[in-house]
Amino acid sequence: MIGALVYLQVQSIKNRLRVRLRRLKKPKYLVGAVVGVAYFYFFFFRNLFTGRRGAAAGVIDTTPPEALLMFELLGALALFAMVLSAWIFPHERAALAFTEAEIAFLFPAPVTRRTLIHFKLVRSQIAILFTTLLLTLITRRFGGGGTAWIRAVGWWLILSTLNLHTLAASFARTRLLERGVSNWRRRVVVLSALSVVLAAAVLWVRRTIPAPETSDFASLDTIKYYIRHALESGPAFYVLYPFRLVVRPYLAADAHAFLLTFGPVLALMLLHYWWVVRSDVAFEEASVELSRKLAERIAAIRAGGDWHSTAGKQKKKRPPFALRPAGIPAVAFLWKNLISAGQAFTLRTWLFLALLAICIGVPMGSSQLTPGWLPPTIGIVSAILAGYSLLLGPAILRQDLRQDLVNADVLKMYPLRGWQVVLGELLAPTAILTGAQWCLLLLAVTMFSRIPEGDAVPLANRLSFGAGAAIIAPMLNLVSLVIPNASVLLFPSWVQIGRERAGGIEVIGQRLIFMLGSVLVFAFALLPAAVLFGLVFFLSRLFLGMIAALPLSAAVAAAVLAAEAGLAIWWMGRLFERFDLSAESVS
Amino acid sequence: MIEVESLTKLYDKFPAVSDLSFAVRPCEVMGLVGPNGAGKTTTLRCLSGIIPATRGTVRIAGEDLTTNPVATKRQLAFFSDEPRLFDYLTVQQHLAFTARIYQVSDYQEIGRCLLEELEMADKIELLPGELSRGMKQKLAIACGLLHSPKAIFFDEPLTGLDPLGIRRMKDSILKRAREGAAIIISSHLLHLLEEVCSHVLILKNGRKVVDGTMGEILQKFSEQSGGANLEEVFFRATGEAKEAK
């Protein structure tokens, strides 16, 4: 029977790979794949193959034993927290994640429960092996060092043991529920045991070493000493010991050290495996329910819905304003997409945030009591955040064509010109980004009352900067949002539409190409506005002074950007009108 | 009035619909039938402006869909087999949004009547995720009928409806026809079409094989080989009679 299940798994993987390879015939996937492979090679694999160990070569190999011990203790502590959470937080019965097809084929089939568990374990190994590869690459890239295969096997041991324990814990929780031990009773017992252990550990530490003084915290070595002492001796030693065993192979410096640490973890893993397969717990009903929820979630994602919402769980959101039936149709899209973004984005919320920024910023910025460096630092950070939001905002806020093109059938049917649909779709993310940036600018203007450890900055100067930035921000946002939305219309099958995330190295490559392309197009779009801004600023500064020059030149630049955005929206509207759904693989 | 002349839709070089011409007058209900892949849905999607036709002319209430798409789309409604809704808008919000798009000033009164007719008046605060499939279908219909379209296209309108829902849907279609709408229904449920439709058009491989009033067609095929119903007509017209036997 297990042969059939292995066949199912192997064939599924083979077919998935075949589909991936077949789509490389299309240039867009081939180019994406080439870029994706190059990215992974140069960023992660190059050092793995050549034996070079990157900038932080041999961090573990050459790490002093005390530091290694610290890694081991902290790793064990993290594992302990994860294991503990498996006994405290979950409230549902044991449920193995099967697809609906697997349930339809396997549950009515003459297959024992144990075989199903084995199937599940084999399948989870695929995910674990992939995660192992990824973590090995990442940890080596960012200074993990060490021998690649030791790190890989180390990660595999950690992840497999954790996976087996989580599964076994879910079976044990279900068994407790069947025996009348409620979730809350279980939690009380676990938390009580934890409290006893913590109390004992604290008592032990207080008795064995003198309490630290405030001055001790100035030195990192003293802090390390306290942590090491607290975790390596007394009750904590016994509690963390099995977790340290699991972490040790990963930290082994060479093959010999690895082999010495491998045995105990293998024994622990086998013990967990025995625990899992010997558990005779009914998981079928909960599994059916889980697979139904998963299927609903996938269906919701494919329909352009929220990935974390399942049917019936989506909450009704308050509309940002009352939508009247007459007026500019594009406003209907703003209204709809603001509802989609969440109920935080109402005018009331923005007014509240602006008021908050003023109420905090004005007294802090003008007060002599606050430390001299704090208000300007907050001001600078706020301004930087506002700048970053310009770049990151369009990637995060997708309440536009990228979300709605899965409903292109409906959009195409509306009695609207293409540019009206495009403009409407762009309004919500532009408004949200602008609102956030204005609040940040308010905070920056009120807080940046003086240069850190230096002179005061006159209010007029700050207001001039704030007004200039506030004037240009909406148009900058509009232009930056035009780029990904135009990409959707120009290359629909290259861009993620809806909220479903496609996978594969070729998709990663496509995203990299788009990211680079977007930055270039944005820079190019800014060029005319920047030139005119500079020119107007230079002239108006001569004749009107600095205070008036900034808002004036920002207004001129904003007008240029508005014209660019207007042209782009008109062009995108034409694209939308000609957009042939039948010719494009939209979702 | 729906007027279609030489409608052709090519997918690359594959002709999904070829040189299709027909007309549906106000108060008429035309059944669009054909085997799977005959081009029914493609035809309806071309007629409603969702996908552009490769060649041909589509006129709705006198407006040309190619030259004047906005005015034409004001006159039509298309209901796909799978209701397309925004999962974050409630029933009421769907109506408000649609009203703004179609500029329906008295939408609240019209919407209330539609929801009552579709037995959804108590569901206005619910989200699509909280509605059954049939209810979602009804909401899509309420949104589509809000602007009182003169041409209505249904693609498998009875999918997911219970027996009472099917009855009400049939009544609703006939009511719109009586009120003067020109209606096209694409469905594989031939008995439904026989009950509801005044005209039939049978497609095969994107081409029209039979077209006429229900009476004419049934009579024509009865004359050829005894008493015929629409199912018999369909099998004979599409050449699938042998397979059916």
Side-chain angles (χ1 to χ4, degrees):
Chain A
M1 184 56 69
I2 198 77
L5 299 181
V6 171
Y7 174 81
L8 170 67
Q9 207 55 56
V10 171
Q11 290 304 319
S12 302
I13 295 170
K14 262 171 71 177
N15 291 340
R16 205 170 297 156
L17 268 174
R18 200 178 295 160
V19 170
R20 285 267 166 85
L21 289 173
R22 204 183 297 153
R23 71 179 188 184
L24 291 184
K25 284 179 188 167
K26 294 185 180 177
K28 63 189 172 193
Y29 288 116
L30 186 64
V31 173
V34 169
V35 173
V37 167
Y39 168 74
F40 270 91
Y41 175 74
F42 286 109
F43 204 65
F44 293 114
F45 282 101
R46 191 169 45 151
N47 298 337
L48 203 67
F49 293 146
T50 56
R52 276 183 61 229
R53 285 166 191 180
V59 163
I60 290 172
D61 303 353
T62 55
T63 326
E66 312 86 67
L68 268 181
L69 180 65
M70 187 57 90
F71 285 143
E72 184 182 309
L73 288 170
L74 292 177
L77 198 64
L79 269 183
F80 174 64
M82 283 184 228
V83 164
L84 205 65
S85 68
W87 290 91
I88 297 173
F89 298 115
H91 55 84
E92 66 278 8
R93 287 168 174 268
L96 304 185
F98 290 98
T99 64
E100 285 201 312
E102 284 165 352
I103 283 184
F105 278 91
L106 300 180
F107 279 32
V111 179
T112 63
R113 196 174 275 168
R114 196 172 287 184
T115 311
L116 286 176
I117 293 175
H118 275 113
F119 174 67
K120 170 70 188 161
L121 289 179
V122 169
R123 217 180 49 179
S124 60
Q125 273 305 313
I126 296 164
I128 287 173
L129 286 172
F130 185 73
T131 315
T132 297
L133 175 71
L134 206 70
L135 286 173
T136 308
L137 292 173
I138 292 170
T139 45
R140 280 177 62 77
R141 177 67 182 80
F142 294 105
T147 313
W149 70 266
I150 291 181
R151 303 295 159 251
V153 180
W155 272 122
W156 178 77
L157 287 168
I158 292 170
L159 294 170
S160 298
T161 312
L162 198 63
N163 177 53
L164 283 167
H165 187 88
T166 312
L167 197 57
S170 76
F171 288 158
R173 288 194 316 265
T174 306
R175 177 58 55 82
L176 288 172
L177 283 170
E178 282 168 0
R179 290 184 181 168
V181 180
S182 70
N183 282 323
W184 281 110
R185 242 173 91 187
R186 185 192 77 234
R187 284 169 185 156
V188 167
V189 171
V190 173
L191 288 171
S192 305
L194 179 68
S195 309
V196 169
V197 170
L198 280 176
V202 169
L203 273 177
W204 169 266
V205 172
R206 289 184 73 171
R207 279 189 186 171
T208 51
I209 49 172
E213 289 173 13
T214 320
S215 59
D216 290 339
F217 290 104
S219 158
L220 196 64
D221 286 338
T222 322
I223 298 168
K224 278 188 197 165
Y225 169 76
Y226 276 104
I227 293 174
R228 207 175 64 208
H229 188 83
L231 298 179
E232 209 203 351
S233 58
F237 172 80
Y238 297 102
V239 173
L240 291 182
Y241 189 71
F243 301 97
R244 288 172 66 179
L245 289 180
V246 179
V247 178
R248 268 178 198 164
Y250 174 79
L251 296 169
D254 52 37
H256 179 70
F258 176 81
L259 285 175
L260 285 178
T261 53
F262 183 67
V265 193
L266 196 67
L268 257 178
M269 257 182 72
L270 290 173
L271 208 65
H272 271 95
Y273 168 76
W274 179 80
W275 182 10
V276 168
V277 294
R278 296 287 296 177
S279 303
D280 188 23
V281 174
F283 56 77
E284 290 86 347
E285 204 176 329
S287 296
V288 170
E289 181 60 15
L290 180 66
S291 89
R292 188 187 62 78
K293 283 182 187 166
L294 282 173
E296 273 179 9
R297 205 170 288 178
I298 290 166
I301 291 167
R302 285 187 177 149
D306 207 337
W307 71 272
H308 49 68
S309 75
T310 50
K313 281 199 170 176
Q314 176 108 344
K315 282 184 186 163
K316 185 189 154 195
K317 294 164 186 169
R318 199 174 51 212
F321 52 87
L323 183 71
R324 286 182 296 112
I328 301 165
V331 175
F333 289 92
L334 168 69
W335 179 83
K336 174 183 84 64
N337 290 342
L338 283 177
I339 293 177
S340 162
Q343 46 199 20
F345 303 110
T346 59
L347 189 62
R348 201 188 305 168
T349 315
W350 291 119
L351 288 176
F352 171 76
L353 286 174
L355 205 66
L356 194 71
I358 293 169
C359 290
I360 294 172
V362 171
M364 266 188 87
S366 55
S367 170
Q368 298 299 319
L369 296 173
T370 44
W373 57 270
L374 188 59
T377 306
I378 295 175
I380 291 168
V381 169
S382 303
I384 289 172
L385 279 178
Y388 262 120
S389 69
L390 194 66
L391 297 171
L392 294 179
I396 297 166
L397 294 166
R398 302 173 63 88
Q399 288 81 16
D400 48 33
L401 277 175
R402 288 169 290 174
Q403 174 189 273
D404 267 355
L405 217 61
V406 284
N407 279 331
D409 272 23
V410 181
L411 300 183
K412 291 279 284 183
M413 238 166 43
Y414 290 146
L416 301 174
R417 286 276 168 207
W419 67 264
Q420 290 175 300
V421 175
V422 173
L423 174 67
E425 290 285 4
L426 289 170
L427 286 179
T430 306
I432 294 170
L433 266 177
T434 305
Q437 287 159 356
W438 282 355
C439 287
L440 285 167
L441 284 172
L442 260 179
L443 202 61
V445 167
T446 50
M447 287 283 190
F448 200 71
S449 52
R450 68 190 89 118
I451 294 164
E453 311 299 334
D455 296 334
V457 179
L459 182 64
N461 287 17
R462 287 185 274 149
L463 284 177
S464 165
F465 161 78
I471 288 168
I472 205 165
M475 290 307 130
L476 282 174
N477 292 328
L478 194 58
V479 170
S480 69
L481 281 158
V482 156
I483 296 165
N485 280 279
S487 310
V488 170
L489 292 173
L490 278 172
F491 316 103
S493 46
W494 281 65
V495 180
Q496 180 202 337
I497 292 172
R499 296 180 192 183
E500 188 172 20
R501 286 206 165 265
I505 202 159
E506 61 276 27
V507 178
I508 295 171
Q510 286 178 355
R511 287 197 189 127
L512 284 169
I513 294 170
F514 260 95
M515 211 164 62
L516 191 67
S518 300
V519 171
L520 286 175
V521 173
F522 189 47
F524 185 71
L526 290 189
L527 211 59
V531 169
L532 219 63
F533 176 90
L535 201 68
V536 175
F537 183 72
F538 175 73
L539 291 174
S540 53
R541 197 179 163 198
L542 278 178
F543 297 108
L544 302 171
M546 175 78 174
I547 305 298
L550 257 176
L552 183 67
S553 35
V556 172
V560 175
L561 290 173
E564 283 181 11
L567 277 173
I569 288 168
W570 174 80
W571 169 68
M572 285 163 70
R574 297 288 302 274
L575 282 179
F576 180 76
E577 283 167 10
R578 287 198 298 255
F579 189 70
D580 190 349
L581 289 167
S582 56
E584 300 292 351
S585 156
V586 168
S587 52
Chain B
M1 175 85 166
I2 304 162
E3 296 163 282
V4 179
E5 282 170 33
S6 308
L7 179 76
T8 300
K9 176 66 188 176
L10 302 177
Y11 290 140
D12 290 327
K13 287 175 184 168
F14 173 75
V17 181
S18 293
D19 205 24
L20 185 63
S21 299
F22 63 86
V24 185
R25 288 173 190 79
C27 306
E28 286 180 359
V29 181
M30 191 184 88
L32 187 63
V33 293
N36 288 332
K40 303 183 295 292
T41 300
T42 302
T43 303
L44 291 187
R45 281 157 68 92
C46 284
L47 297 189
S48 48
I50 295 171
I51 54 174
T54 311
R55 282 190 296 276
T57 315
V58 176
R59 270 191 298 276
I60 310 280
E63 303 281 1
D64 190 308
L65 185 63
T66 313
T67 55
N68 200 356
V70 174
T72 313
K73 286 176 182 176
R74 273 191 209 290
Q75 312 291 343
L76 65 86
F78 171 62
F79 303 106
S80 65
D81 55 342
E82 193 60 43
R84 292 276 188 181
L85 300 167
F86 299 105
D87 63 355
Y88 40 85
L89 296 188
T90 62
V91 170
Q92 179 66 37
Q93 288 168 346
H94 268 93
L95 293 177
F97 177 71
T98 312
R100 177 68 167 242
I101 296 291
Y102 286 87
Q103 305 282 303
V104 185
S105 54
D106 53 345
Y107 86 95
Q108 277 168 326
E109 182 53 28
I110 300 172
R112 194 183 55 76
C113 293
L114 278 169
L115 292 180
E116 270 173 18
E117 184 189 328
L118 296 164
E119 294 171 319
M120 292 192 73
D122 57 338
K123 305 219 164 9
I124 53 169
E125 292 301 323
L126 297 185
L127 291 161
E130 297 165 311
L131 299 174
S132 67
R133 199 196 171 288
M135 284 291 170
K136 285 181 193 168
Q137 182 91 328
K138 287 179 180 180
L139 171 57
I141 288 169
C143 290
L145 297 179
L146 198 64
H147 62 288
S148 309
K150 294 193 172 78
I152 307 174
F153 309 121
F154 289 99
D155 191 3
E156 293 291 355
L158 303 184
T159 312
L161 295 185
D162 59 16
L164 186 62
I166 290 174
R167 167 70 65 84
R168 295 226 189 277
M169 178 61 81
K170 285 193 285 193
D171 292 344
S172 184
I173 292 170
L174 289 171
K175 185 183 166 198
R176 307 293 153 203
R178 279 197 300 273
E179 287 170 357
I183 298 173
I184 300 178
I185 307 173
S186 159
S187 178
H188 288 300
L189 302 175
L190 300 179
H191 62 277
L192 157 84
L193 297 182
E194 212 166 340
E195 280 178 49
V196 175
C197 297
S198 56
H199 292 66
V200 181
L201 189 152
I202 301 178
L203 276 178
K204 189 182 179 187
N205 297 330
R207 291 186 175 278
K208 179 168 74 178
V209 286
V210 172
D211 178 22
T213 67
M214 186 68 77
E216 283 168 7
I217 287 171
L218 292 180
Q219 195 181 0
K220 184 179 161 191
F221 279 83
S222 298
E223 283 165 6
Q224 285 174 6
S225 53
N229 56 20
L230 188 57
E231 194 177 66
E232 284 293 317
V233 171
F234 174 80
F235 287 134
R236 284 182 213 157
T238 55
E240 292 181 353
K242 278 182 193 167
E243 284 90 334
K245 280 174 188 167

